[in-house]
Amino acid sequence: MILLQVQSTTQPILLFGTMGMLALAIGLIVFIIFHQRRVIRYQLQLQEMEEEQQKILLNASIRWQEEERQRIAADLHDDAGPLLATARLYLNENLVHQDLNTQLQSIYNAKQIIDDTIQLIRNISHSLMPPTLKNFGLESAVNDLFQKISGSGVVNASSRFHDYRQRLRPEQELLIFRVIQELVNNILKHSSSSFIHVTQNYNEDKFFIRLHHDGRGITQADFERLNKSALGLGLKNIQSRAKVLQAKIEFERDPSETYFKVTLEVPIEDYEMMSN
Amino acid sequence: MWLITAVVGTFLLYFLITSPHNAFDSIPSGVTSLTLLIYSIYYLFERMKDPTSLYLFSSPVFWVVVAIVIYSAGTFFPFIYARNNMEEAEFKNIYDLIHDTLYIVKNVIFSFAIMIKPKPEKKYAGSAISKKH
């Protein structure tokens, strides 16, 4: 009798226990599978967003290149073309007029026009690659740029390089200079600020460029929003250049709300070695 | 984990030496099932936390662990009760049904694990971005 009772209690425990354990095990596996699927979905979304951002940056870069080409084409076509045509006219005149004085006068005029054309082509070339940057480095190029801006009398522009012992690689200098140039252009165009100040530092394998101004500026949230929209071609160029430099760029407003600050943080591991 | 392995190993060795050989070893079998379950669950949660293991289902080890979890969880109670009830025909029938079914399931999943082609492990998309900056 007792044995029968024991049997009758053992079998339900065995069955329910086994079913419970199996249910727990299968539940655990199902949970893991669903969790992994969610993670994969999230990763795919993240990848899509990243690809979308890359596409926007690429489009911006292509658009910027096209605009730059159009500008150079317009400069050459509208300025250099007519100047050279006029010089050609003066020189043609020498073939018609045999009078020495007239010939000398037209040669002099042609020379003047050719000088102007040389200056114009030099300006176009300088806008493509500033000679100060190529020959003397980033500090001189930024100082040069800021002197020109200050010379206009509209904005007080100044720069101070605290730890620029050695020049960076030429491509890095050009990219940093272009970022500064674009930022300064934006400030001049949109911010109505009265001063622009750039400082440079080097700390823990990082090359810092900080730009302050007291006009209307943008914060990091604005920068990211504009980067995702079709607007803000200049900002997208800044972003793509920062990406090439593997740099971080941060737009912020100072706590006292008197000025805006942009920080460019470029990782340069071999800077100490370069300066030795 | 090494401590658990050492304790369980010693315990099983002790049982192997001391227990009578004509009866079912319920306690060592139960302990083995529990230990395997603990190890398997630990492995699964570690893999879940690991950011490099994105496609867990394409890993043969994952399916081996799944087979172990199902078999160990399902056979835990039959093993525990087997020592005292093995002589009863009704219990033996249920025991055989549960054990044999789970044994087949385990072997099917093992076969699947052997046949599966492991994919190269893929990293999180986000880790690439953070690495760049």
Side-chain angles (χ1 to χ4, degrees), chain A residues 21-34:
Chain A
M21 287 292 270
L22 274 175
L24 278 174
I26 291 166
L28 175 79
I29 292 158
V30 169
F31 166 73
I32 288 167
I33 288 172
F34 273 97

Side-chain angles (χ1 to χ4, degrees), chain A residues 68-249:
Chain A
E68 195 67 6
R69 280 178 190 168
Q70 276 173 13
R71 190 183 64 77
I72 295 164
D75 281 354
L76 289 172
H77 179 266
D78 300 345
D79 298 334
L83 282 172
L84 287 171
T86 318
R88 187 170 173 273
L89 268 178
Y90 277 116
L91 291 172
N92 260 349
E93 237 174 76
N94 282 340
L95 299 172
V96 182
H97 296 283
Q98 298 299 315
D99 174 35
L100 191 66
N101 280 338
T102 320
Q103 275 187 344
L104 279 173
Q105 185 59 43
S106 63
I107 287 168
Y108 179 75
N109 286 342
K111 181 189 163 287
Q112 286 285 95
I113 290 166
I114 288 167
D115 284 346
D116 287 349
T117 315
I118 290 168
Q119 189 56 45
L120 178 84
I121 288 167
R122 190 176 284 160
N123 287 344
I124 294 170
S125 148
H126 287 185
S127 74
L128 291 175
M129 175 71 189
T132 332
L133 180 69
K134 194 179 163 192
N135 298 326
F136 304 107
L138 186 66
E139 186 178 2
S140 306
V142 172
N143 283 336
D144 199 33
L145 173 74
F146 277 31
Q147 263 174 20
K148 280 179 192 156
I149 294 167
S150 281
S152 70
V154 182
V155 182
N156 179 17
S158 59
S159 66
R160 195 180 168 95
F161 280 61
H162 294 285
D163 203 356
Y164 188 67
R165 287 159 286 165
Q166 185 71 26
R167 286 187 63 176
L168 305 175
R169 284 198 292 276
E171 65 275 11
Q172 282 177 322
E173 287 198 331
L174 183 64
L175 285 165
I176 295 171
F177 181 73
R178 291 292 183 220
V179 170
I180 296 171
Q181 219 177 13
E182 193 64 54
L183 288 169
V184 170
N185 272 347
N186 282 347
I187 292 166
L188 293 176
K189 266 203 299 199
H190 307 291
S191 81
S192 324
S193 62
S194 64
F195 83 85
I196 306 169
H197 183 60
V198 165
T199 53
Q200 176 275 334
N201 283 95
Y202 179 79
N203 192 15
E204 290 175 359
D205 292 341
K206 277 171 187 140
F207 190 89
F208 291 95
I209 294 283
R210 290 190 180 86
L211 192 143
H212 302 83
H213 70 94
D214 63 342
R216 282 192 307 275
I218 59 166
T219 57
Q220 193 64 20
D222 298 325
F223 176 65
E224 275 159 21
R225 184 173 47 79
L226 286 165
N227 248 340
K228 282 173 190 155
S229 72
L231 300 164
L233 181 64
L235 291 177
K236 285 187 193 77
N237 282 327
I238 290 173
Q239 171 75 3
S240 53
R241 285 194 175 109
K243 211 161 189 180
V244 175
L245 282 165
Q246 299 190 342
K248 261 204 288 202
I249 188 152

Side-chain angles (χ1 to χ4, degrees), chain A residues 7 10-11 13-15 17-18 21-22 25 28-29 31-33 35-36 39-40 43 46-47 50 246-248, chain B residues 41 44-45 48 53-54 57 66 69-70 73-74 77-78 81 85 88 90-91 94 98 124-126 129 133:
Chain A
Q7 272 182 24
T10 305
Q11 280 167 17
I13 293 173
L14 179 70
L15 281 173
T18 304
M21 287 292 270
L22 274 175
L28 175 79
I29 292 158
F31 166 73
I32 288 167
I33 288 172
H35 178 270
Q36 282 300 108
V39 170
I40 290 169
Q43 287 303 311
L46 209 68
Q47 247 170 3
E50 208 182 313
Q246 299 190 342
K248 261 204 288 202
Chain B
I41 292 167
L44 290 173
F45 277 96
M48 266 172 70
S53 58
L54 202 55
F57 326 119
V66 165
V69 167
I70 290 172
F77 277 98
Y81 284 104
N85 301 286
E88 293 149 25
E90 210 174 339
F91 177 85
I94 296 170
I98 295 169
Y124 276 92
I129 313 165
H133 290 288

Side-chain angles (χ1 to χ4, degrees), chain B residues 7-21 28:
Chain B
V7 170
V8 171
T10 316
F11 178 74
L12 291 178
L13 202 68
Y14 171 76
F15 256 87
L16 188 74
I17 297 161
T18 57
S19 66
H21 293 285

